[in-house]
Amino acid sequence: MKVFSTTLPVALLALAPKVLALFQLEVEYSDLMVPVGDVNLFHAVWEVLYAQSDKFGGLSDQTYPAYTTKCGPHGADPDLSVTIQLDGQWGNVDNISGLTMRDALVQAAWKTVDALSKSTGYDVYTECWGTTWQEGIPYDNNAPCGAPKGPECPCDIGGAQCLKHSWGHKIPSKVKVQTYDSNGVLLPDNYVMTFSSSYSTEGGGCGRYGAIAEVLASFVPGVGPYFEKGIKIACRQ
């Protein structure tokens, strides 16, 4: 990260006119919550988009295997299939490059997805041994649960040991980041993420509005004087 500094006298800084931001970002998300298990959301909404986009936009449609189990037996296949569609369009607005706009939209998208999913987090344990009375365990002292000095695994049979731990989440079925100019006019640059999975969905996303609004209120997307502090947010049922 580059660090910029100034040597202007304080008196001159006080007299300098305030630079108004050119753009404001707004996030809309749906009330419907989709189980996505332990899918790596940062990879899915940030890294994949950067790998498949340019200064004009990006598009991706990928399906990921995932686990949701609290005590998954060793060797078991993932129990969930998650499809994540990404659709980003930028480079259509004057006074800012497409790549700079992409950075701001993706940062805002990840900040939103991260905040929304964290409150739904739950433990996922896989590669578990000793889930039947006849089966032994590896006696791994570094196991996330079931180790001699670690927590007990959430398995039906006591004494089980699981070798892998991850976090499962739910996420709204659609998250959309939109751009407005300083006059509140909607602009064409945006980033839309659509989530679906093989498990049933349920409502409740709008109930998380207060927590996510607080997180986004102080967030500044992108770099430089382009974007206003804070991201507006709305939940659509």
Side-chain angles (χ1 to χ4, degrees):
M1 178 183 295
K2 294 183 178 179
V3 179
F4 299 92
S5 62
T6 179
T7 56
L8 288 175
V10 174
L12 290 180
L13 289 174
L15 294 174
K18 181 180 179 180
V19 178
L20 297 177
L22 297 174
F23 310 106
Q24 168 78 53
L25 295 186
E26 179 185 75
V27 172
E28 291 186 352
Y29 69 94
S30 61
D31 180 65
L32 199 62
M33 299 294 287
V34 176
V36 295
D38 64 350
V39 164
N40 184 335
L41 291 173
F42 180 77
H43 169 74
V45 305
W46 182 304
E47 294 179 335
V48 169
L49 193 280
Y50 269 97
Q52 301 190 27
S53 66
D54 56 25
K55 63 181 179 179
F56 300 111
L59 191 67
S60 174
D61 187 346
Q62 298 196 22
T63 299
Y64 303 88
Y67 291 94
T68 66
T69 53
K70 68 174 183 178
C71 180
H74 61 91
D77 293 329
D79 60 303
L80 181 65
S81 178
V82 179
T83 298
I84 301 178
Q85 298 171 313
L86 310 177
D87 185 357
Q89 300 184 36
W90 40 76
N92 304 302
V93 177
D94 294 335
N95 301 317
I96 186 172
S97 72
L99 296 180
T100 300
M101 180 65 80
R102 178 185 67 176
D103 291 345
L105 290 169
V106 175
Q107 287 176 28
W110 167 244
K111 191 74 173 180
T112 303
V113 167
D114 186 47
L116 283 168
S117 63
K118 274 185 176 178
S119 61
T120 71
Y122 59 92
D123 292 300
V124 175
Y125 289 100
T126 54
E127 291 300 313
C128 300
W129 295 74
T131 57
T132 66
W133 293 113
Q134 296 81 11
E135 183 178 62
I137 63 173
Y139 295 99
D140 186 339
N141 291 331
N142 297 315
C145 71
K149 296 183 179 180
E152 185 175 348
C153 293
C155 300
D156 294 334
I157 296 179
Q161 187 175 78
C162 301
L163 302 184
K164 291 185 178 180
H165 171 266
S166 56
W167 288 101
H169 298 95
K170 295 179 181 180
I171 194 70
S173 59
K174 179 165 287 188
V175 180
K176 182 177 184 179
V177 187
Q178 303 182 108
T179 310
Y180 293 81
D181 69 12
S182 58
N183 295 316
V185 177
L186 179 63
L187 300 174
D189 287 13
N190 64 78
Y191 180 27
V192 182
M193 298 159 287
T194 304
F195 302 86
S196 61
S197 77
S198 54
Y199 280 6
S200 299
T201 58
E202 60 182 19
C206 290
R208 307 176 191 281
Y209 175 87
I212 182 63
E214 184 177 353
V215 171
L216 297 182
S218 60
F219 181 67
V220 181
V223 296
Y226 295 107
F227 297 92
E228 288 186 22
K229 178 182 178 180
I231 299 173
K232 296 180 180 179
I233 187 167
C235 182
R236 309 295 186 190
Q237 291 184 306

